[in-house]
Amino acid sequence: MSGGFRDTFTKDQDKDGQLGYDDTAFYYFASTVLLCVAVPWTFSVLYNLIFPGKAQIDQDFPTKSRQGSSFKQCMTSEMTGKYDKARREARRCTGGSTCLFLLKSGLLAMIWIAVYVLATQTGQENQIRRFDPFEILEVPHGADAQQIKKAYRKLSLVYHPDKNPDDPLAASRFIQITKAYSAMTDEVAKKNYEKYGNPDGPQATKVGIGLPRFLLEKENHLGILCAFFFLLLFVVPMTFICYYQRTKNFAPNGVMIETLQLLGHYINEGTRVKNCPELLAASAESRGMEARPTDNTQMKPISQAVVEHKKRQFQVPIIMKNQFLIWAHMQRLHHLMSPELRADTDQLLKYAMKITHAMVEIACMREWFFTAQAMIDFRRCLVQALDVKSSQLLQIPHFNEDIIKHCTKGKHPVSSLNDFISRDPEQRKGLAKMEPQQILDVEAFSSHVSAVELKAIVEVEDEQSIVVGDVATVCVQLRRKNLKEGEAMGPVHAPLFPEPKFEEWWLFLVEATPSTRIITYERLRDTEHVMEEKMRFQVSRPGKHSLVLHAMCDSYLGIDQKVELNFNAHQEEEVKREVFVHPEDEELDQQPTLFQQFMGELNHEEESEEEEEEEDKKRRNKAKKEQLESLAASKATDKVDSDDDEEDKEAEKRNAREGDSDSSSDSD
């Protein structure tokens, strides 16, 4: 190490310790910060210790909606069993959760120990250190002038800045020594000290955040500099790099960009439900799942029992495995799955919600209604574990193929879920051979499924008629008739789905033509008793319009609603519209805006300057005119005078001639 570097970043070991610095402010600041972290964290740890798993249960199965309504839960035996299982899983102590709890407890204990140490140090420090010249000069009270002068010379030689060029504390110490000596020798400084406690006179109180003393000590400079560079050049960049590496592969909707590219390439106008399991299995999320050596053995019974409705397009092993798992879930072959395969299926279904949502959006952006409808059908097949051609009645608890055959035959047959739940309990078929608990499950399911009433109108806001070029608004209202005021729809009945699923409704406004082009669409996630939405589109042609509004549920098959919308669009010249302007709006229009006011002030200044210039110009012109008039008048006067003089001269000449003629006549 060179001498210059050593002199800069090291300190003489024989030098006295630093004096005159108080760490009390830092202790207060650090204690406050640690307490802000420790207190809420302690409450959280104690809450989880007293009520284990309650926070997770409240997150998965909330009791109140965002609007404050109470969620109506599905009370079938399968769903209550699912709730109880989720509670047990949340409360169960695993090795990972135990280690995490011990780690949190250890960190929390260390924080409280640090708070205790800081509080102890705070109690030992003086809260306000007053200026004491005797203490600064290290002389006893009552010392004479000679002792004071001797102490001043000694300390000034030790702490002089010229002898400590790299020590910032030495300069501060030297200033204190100088002030202390002045306070005891200079008369003015002594009076200020005796009166105000400071040789400089009255001082204003200053409050700031204290820094620990070791940051200013010279021997710590190298370590502090290394720590600063490590934090700035390594920790911060690595944090951003890790975050970027984790998020760069995902789109804003949470789906991997590679998956969106795959779906955008393979989804076309002819894509239907039978194509979707393979697309889901080919997604990047699916291909990133772990493949185990035991998969071949465990997958044999599933591959033999599964019925594939489409020829496979991909032959990649992980895609084939996950495709079989999806078909097995849709065909309710969970009893053939090992615990590992069931866990893989649950993971696929968790991925599926975001991926199927992306499928629907891709179809909507391309205005393919039947494709979007197929994507939603696939989504609810995953939620309810239904095959491509399965009956809607399989969603009802305890219903199987034999019961469904009985329901679809005979007197008053039932083939749709909406028809089944709309009937009175006494008129529902298929319940004759069920046990009382099973009948109660069917009743609980029927009362929980949303019975939606759809209403919609087309209008142009603030207008009586619709004209080409207008932006028309479709006001949609969906009312759940099975809910009361203050109630909200809880998670749907989906015992085979791995996580709680809330209803979502998709609204499609399409043309009532064979092409069924999507005009506009909306996604509703509201769980309240009444849902309202406004859909806007531009009227592009005159004449009669026939549109159909579809409301499709993504969680249940068979409860969709639709309503026809008819309106007539006029040409712009056919309708005379009067623009009504409210008087208050007119007054507001007359008021200048802030920009106009600002520009008006500038213009006013410019106008005042122009007016002054014009007035000066007018005064100058008037003075010039008066000057010209006076000059003309003087010229006219001079001319008159000259004319009079000439007349006098002529008269004199005539008189002279007459006199000459008279004299000549006399001589004769």
Side-chain angles (χ1 to χ4, degrees), residues 293-359:
T294 58
D295 288 345
N296 292 332
T297 304
Q298 296 175 353
M299 287 296 298
K300 282 185 179 180
I302 296 176
S303 61
Q304 295 173 358
V306 161
V307 177
E308 295 184 82
H309 298 279
K310 175 187 172 295
K311 185 179 179 180
R312 289 194 297 271
Q313 186 175 359
F314 300 100
Q315 302 299 327
V316 181
I318 188 65
I319 296 179
M320 295 174 59
K321 170 198 167 183
N322 291 341
Q323 184 180 357
F324 275 122
L325 291 178
I326 295 170
W327 283 117
H329 168 73
M330 295 171 62
Q331 297 169 14
R332 301 190 176 186
L333 301 176
H334 301 87
H335 59 281
L336 300 177
M337 298 180 185
S338 64
E340 293 82 6
L341 294 180
R342 185 62 185 270
D344 291 343
T345 305
D346 292 344
Q347 188 63 41
L348 273 173
L349 294 175
K350 292 177 181 179
Y351 290 145
M353 290 299 97
K354 293 181 180 179
I355 296 175
T356 53
H357 177 240
M359 291 179 177

Side-chain angles (χ1 to χ4, degrees), residues 38-191:
V39 172
W41 196 2
T42 302
F43 278 108
S44 176
V45 171
L46 292 177
Y47 181 83
N48 292 329
L49 187 62
I50 299 173
F51 305 101
K54 192 174 186 304
Q56 185 66 32
I57 292 296
D58 292 340
Q59 181 180 355
D60 294 340
F61 301 96
T63 58
K64 294 285 186 179
S65 67
R66 293 182 178 180
Q67 288 77 14
S69 302
S70 300
F71 279 118
K72 182 181 179 181
Q73 305 292 341
C74 183
M75 301 309 297
T76 61
S77 58
E78 292 176 315
M79 291 303 294
T80 53
K82 186 177 180 180
Y83 300 154
D84 295 338
K85 182 180 178 181
R87 293 188 182 94
R88 290 194 300 270
E89 289 293 330
R91 294 172 181 173
R92 186 167 61 90
C93 292
T94 61
S97 61
T98 303
C99 293
L100 182 61
F101 177 78
L102 293 176
L103 179 61
K104 290 181 178 179
S105 301
L107 291 175
L108 187 60
M110 292 174 62
I111 292 175
W112 279 113
I113 291 173
V115 171
Y116 173 76
V117 172
L118 291 172
T120 305
Q121 293 293 329
T122 303
Q124 294 177 356
E125 294 287 337
N126 296 325
Q127 295 186 359
I128 300 177
R129 177 170 293 181
R130 61 187 298 271
F131 181 80
D132 189 351
F134 294 97
E135 182 180 354
I136 294 173
L137 293 177
E138 301 177 2
V139 295
H141 288 271
D144 55 14
Q146 186 177 0
Q147 291 177 330
I148 294 173
K149 189 174 183 179
K150 183 179 179 181
Y152 168 70
R153 289 179 177 178
K154 177 183 176 182
L155 295 176
S156 61
L157 291 174
V158 174
Y159 292 102
H160 197 279
D162 293 340
K163 293 188 177 182
N164 303 275
D166 300 323
D167 192 351
L169 298 181
S172 175
R173 177 67 171 161
F174 182 77
I175 293 173
Q176 289 184 344
I177 293 170
T178 304
K179 286 186 177 182
Y181 180 72
S182 299
M184 290 188 291
T185 57
D186 185 78
E187 293 297 331
V188 177
K190 188 175 182 180
K191 290 181 180 179

Side-chain angles (χ1 to χ4, degrees), residues 297-476:
T297 304
Q298 296 175 353
M299 287 296 298
K300 282 185 179 180
I302 296 176
S303 61
Q304 295 173 358
V306 161
V307 177
E308 295 184 82
H309 298 279
K310 175 187 172 295
K311 185 179 179 180
R312 289 194 297 271
Q313 186 175 359
F314 300 100
Q315 302 299 327
V316 181
I318 188 65
I319 296 179
M320 295 174 59
K321 170 198 167 183
N322 291 341
Q323 184 180 357
F324 275 122
L325 291 178
I326 295 170
W327 283 117
H329 168 73
M330 295 171 62
Q331 297 169 14
R332 301 190 176 186
L333 301 176
H334 301 87
H335 59 281
L336 300 177
M337 298 180 185
S338 64
E340 293 82 6
L341 294 180
R342 185 62 185 270
D344 291 343
T345 305
D346 292 344
Q347 188 63 41
L348 273 173
L349 294 175
K350 292 177 181 179
Y351 290 145
M353 290 299 97
K354 293 181 180 179
I355 296 175
T356 53
H357 177 240
M359 291 179 177
V360 178
E361 286 190 334
I362 291 174
C364 290
M365 287 187 293
R366 298 175 181 177
E367 300 180 350
W368 298 335
F369 172 67
F370 290 123
T371 306
Q373 187 179 27
M375 301 298 103
I376 293 178
D377 287 340
F378 175 60
R379 186 179 175 91
R380 45 196 175 193
C381 284
L382 294 177
V383 174
Q384 295 295 334
L386 296 176
D387 201 2
V388 175
K389 300 180 180 179
S390 295
S391 172
Q392 300 176 7
L393 301 181
L394 277 177
Q395 301 172 97
I396 305 172
H398 312 295
F399 267 52
N400 52 34
E401 295 295 339
D402 296 334
I403 296 177
I404 291 174
K405 289 180 181 179
H406 173 71
C407 292
T408 55
K409 295 180 180 179
K411 190 176 181 180
H412 305 297
V414 178
S415 59
S416 66
L417 179 63
N418 196 16
D419 188 13
F420 181 85
I421 63 177
S422 62
R423 294 190 178 186
D424 295 332
E426 297 80 9
Q427 298 179 353
R428 291 171 180 163
K429 302 185 66 175
L431 308 181
K433 297 182 180 181
M434 288 189 178
E435 298 179 358
Q437 181 59 44
Q438 294 177 335
I439 296 175
L440 291 176
D441 289 342
V442 174
E443 296 297 332
F445 171 81
S446 302
S447 63
H448 186 264
V449 176
S450 295
V452 175
E453 180 183 6
L454 175 63
K455 295 181 180 180
I457 58 171
V458 183
E459 63 179 5
V460 176
E461 295 179 354
D462 300 329
E463 297 294 344
Q464 298 296 329
S465 57
I466 301 177
V467 177
V468 176
D470 286 345
V471 176
T473 303
V474 181
C475 300
V476 185

